[in-house]
Amino acid sequence: MTVFVVIVAVVAVLALLALVHRWLWVRLVRDTTRAGGAARRAGTVLAFALPLLALAALTAGRAGAPFWLERLVAWPGYMWLAVLLYLTMAMAVAEPIRRLWLRRLPAATPAPQSPEGLELVPAVSGAEPQAPAGSGGHPVVAAGGAVGAGPAAPGGVAAGPAPQSPEGLESGAEPQAPARSAGDPAAVSAAGGASGAEPRAGAGAEPQLREGAGRGTAPQGPGTAAQPTDTPAADATQAGTVTAPGTAGTATAAAKAGTATATAAAGAGTAGDAVPTGAGTAAAGVAGPDTAEPPAGVGRRVFVARVLGGAAAVAAAGVVGNGTYGVLRGPRVKRVQVPLARLPRAAHGFRIAVVSDVHLGPVLGRAHTRRIVDTVNRTQPDLIAIVGDLVDGDVRDLGPAAEPLRELRARLGSFFVTGNHEYFSGAQQWVDHVRELGLTPLENARRELPHFDLAGVNDVQGEKEGKGPDFQAALGDRDRARASVLLAHQPIVIDEAVRHGVDLQLSGHTHGGQLWPGKYLAELANPTVAGLERYGDTQLYVSRGAGAWGPPVRVGAPSDITVVELASYQA
């Protein structure tokens, strides 16, 4: 049954990791890169490679992989786990911001139009106004030089403004009509004051119009399609005028009585679309089928995804980078004074340097041990207590990394108890090795020091090997009139310490949570996560540790070496 529960838990964790990676890929890769691009391919490769490296880092040691392979996968694999945690948190915070931002972004603002739906945009120098088309796509030339609205080019592509003469609008302009089949009606010139214009045929040419000098320009919009008319030109005539802003004259939109509207019908045999002619076409910004704008909103989504994804990545990298620096820099010294009721005056001010959870392994090695030894020796303690989880591996691989421990200096010596991680690789080999390094292992044993008793018990992980904690052996026959200090790796044995009348228990194991918000998870499994607390007549002090397990990163739980100074009430 236990095996089944473990398998289900492992599968659930792997499924959760897969879902998280899939979501991060969508938000950070798919939403921010172009399909088929190099960035998309690179991001997809990392989305598969990084979790595989993390799994390799977690399992290589247990699987018996060579130490060089452990070191190869440990750094990228463990670091990704730390980045994954804070990147996921940052993106979770960014998700509602993303939705709100996209909702509040304004849509594209349409260009201003005249009352008849015609866009009023000043004419572009060097471009002639286009002749609009009436219903059905027939170009229309209004009397007096006014140009009506025509439909957009086929395929939904907007036709740009037609080129004008360099002098602006010329007098005596002639409208041009495209060549049509013999059966097409000719363009008829408008009566009532219009210049005598004659149609000029050109193969595939756009119908154009030049107004007389002093006339106002007809409404037109660069790069946008004019509004199509819904009725034939003959029915669209009406009284009134349309005036473009800034023009001196009035363009007559519909002729009065007796004024005919000139129309040029598009023939059935016309090849291709009508295209503006003249050198000024490109300068005027004509939009063709190959330069169509992307669908509305796509650019905004990419922009928002990149801004929020970039901010989340920078935040996660900053948090992890700072946490890594804190570990590699080495632990800081923390000083705590603990009064003990039974401590004699002569022991007042006795200093114990508490070192826990160094975790020498494929990431933290000899250099880290050297930093710890130098820091401890600078405090000049009376006694050094290493309370478990010194290593993550075999003596064969990590013996050289532990070698600097030989240089620890304290007046009454250095003592060691096992942690749960020693049992993962073989606790007995490390008990023997630390003894060779000059440390004194306390395996369910006690030492009577001049002013108090110092006891140590094995970690509860040793119960699987028949070598668990034995409080009776360590504390059963002692003189309870003397003060006692107990070294035990895990805080959960505090109840036994209280039962045996211990004055102070020194522990580690929790790392203080190591990676926020891990503190809250650690609280579920431990009576105290970090610091000093009292349980009946027994006080419990838990160190956050001098190293780090897994990612060499600490966030919200800086590493420390604690100097516990014992105080006597008699003093």
Side-chain angles (χ1 to χ4, degrees):
M1 183 63 182
T2 303
V3 176
F4 175 76
V5 172
V6 171
I7 293 176
V8 170
V10 170
V11 171
V13 170
L14 292 177
L16 178 62
L17 287 175
L19 290 175
V20 169
H21 280 86
R22 163 69 180 175
W23 176 63
L24 289 178
W25 177 84
V26 169
R27 287 288 176 257
L28 297 177
V29 178
R30 191 194 69 179
D31 290 355
T32 62
T33 59
R34 179 176 57 85
R40 173 74 62 86
R41 290 194 295 269
T44 303
V45 169
L46 288 176
F48 282 95
L50 289 174
L52 292 178
L53 283 172
L55 289 175
L58 290 170
T59 59
R62 303 287 183 88
F67 190 64
W68 65 266
L69 181 59
E70 290 184 55
R71 300 185 67 179
L72 182 65
V73 300
W75 269 100
Y78 283 134
M79 291 301 293
W80 171 243
L81 288 177
V83 172
L84 176 65
L85 172 63
Y86 293 104
L87 186 59
T88 302
M89 293 171 61
M91 290 302 296
V93 172
E95 188 65 20
I97 299 176
R98 169 184 168 274
R99 295 179 181 273
L100 181 61
W101 193 351
L102 287 175
R103 188 175 303 170
R104 292 177 63 87
L105 276 178
T109 305
Q113 296 181 342
S114 68
E116 287 78 16
L118 302 177
E119 295 183 356
L120 302 181
V121 181
V124 180
S125 177
E128 293 182 3
Q130 290 181 268
S135 176
H138 303 303
V140 178
V141 180
V147 183
V157 181
Q164 294 178 338
S165 68
E167 296 79 16
L169 302 176
E170 297 179 359
S171 174
E174 295 180 355
Q176 298 177 350
R180 307 295 184 187
S181 59
D184 294 340
V188 182
S189 61
S195 302
E198 295 178 359
R200 190 167 58 216
E206 177 73 13
Q208 298 178 345
L209 173 67
R210 294 182 179 176
E211 299 177 351
R215 295 285 184 181
T217 60
Q220 56 183 338
T224 58
Q227 301 292 332
T229 56
D230 296 330
T231 58
D235 297 333
T237 56
Q238 58 181 354
T241 59
V242 177
T243 305
T247 59
T250 302
T252 306
K256 297 182 181 180
T259 302
T261 302
T263 61
T270 303
D273 301 330
V275 181
T277 61
T281 302
V286 177
D290 295 333
T291 60
E293 293 295 327
V298 171
R300 292 182 297 160
R301 288 195 296 270
V302 172
F303 172 75
V304 170
R306 288 178 177 175
V307 169
L308 294 180
V314 169
V319 170
V320 172
N322 183 67
T324 304
Y325 169 75
V327 171
L328 300 182
R329 172 195 61 194
R332 290 294 186 251
V333 175
K334 182 179 179 181
R335 298 181 183 272
V336 177
Q337 188 179 66
V338 182
L340 301 181
R342 288 175 285 192
L343 189 71
R345 180 190 295 269
H348 182 76
F350 190 94
R351 296 185 306 278
I352 302 175
V354 181
V355 181
S356 75
D357 302 281
V358 177
H359 287 286
L360 299 179
V363 175
L364 299 177
R366 187 185 182 101
H368 189 63
T369 309
R370 168 59 59 191
R371 286 189 291 266
I372 291 173
V373 169
D374 292 343
T375 301
V376 170
N377 288 342
R378 282 196 298 268
T379 66
Q380 298 181 341
D382 298 302
L383 183 148
I384 299 171
I386 300 179
V387 291
D389 279 6
L390 174 64
V391 292
D392 284 305
D394 296 328
V395 172
R396 180 184 66 255
D397 298 324
L398 298 176
E403 188 64 25
L405 295 175
R406 192 184 301 273
E407 301 176 22
L408 286 171
R409 297 291 181 265
R411 184 168 61 88
L412 296 180
S414 303
F415 297 84
F416 170 80
V417 294
T418 58
N420 56 311
H421 280 248
E422 273 78 35
Y423 291 94
F424 297 154
S425 56
Q428 191 59 46
Q429 63 174 329
W430 282 107
V431 170
D432 296 338
H433 188 68
V434 297
R435 186 179 285 114
E436 294 175 3
L437 296 176
L439 281 68
T440 301
L442 293 176
E443 297 180 277
N444 298 324
R446 181 180 74 254
R447 285 293 180 92
E448 293 183 0
L449 301 181
H451 303 294
F452 62 91
D453 293 339
L454 179 68
V457 294
N458 295 342
D459 186 71
V460 295
Q461 185 71 27
E463 294 176 349
K464 296 181 179 180
E465 302 178 8
K467 296 182 179 180
D470 188 341
F471 289 89
Q472 185 62 30
L475 299 165
D477 57 349
R478 75 179 189 86
D479 182 3
R480 293 208 173 196
R482 287 169 54 87
S484 60
V485 176
L486 173 67
L487 308 183
H489 178 63
Q490 298 195 40
I492 58 174
V493 300
I494 184 61
D495 293 336
E496 289 292 335
V498 172
R499 187 175 297 113
H500 286 83
V502 172
D503 294 280
L504 174 64
Q505 175 180 322
L506 301 176
S507 299
H509 182 64
T510 67
H511 296 213
Q514 185 169 332
L515 297 173
W516 188 93
K519 169 187 175 182
Y520 303 107
L521 295 177
E523 287 178 348
L524 300 177
N526 298 276
T528 299
V529 173
L532 181 67
E533 290 187 1
R534 176 178 289 276
Y535 295 85
D537 293 332
T538 302
Q539 297 181 78
L540 169 64
Y541 181 79
V542 179
S543 169
R544 287 191 292 254
W549 179 82
V553 182
R554 282 178 173 266
V555 178
S559 58
D560 67 59
I561 292 171
T562 304
V563 176
V564 175
E565 182 177 329
L566 304 181
S568 172
Y569 284 113
Q570 299 174 18

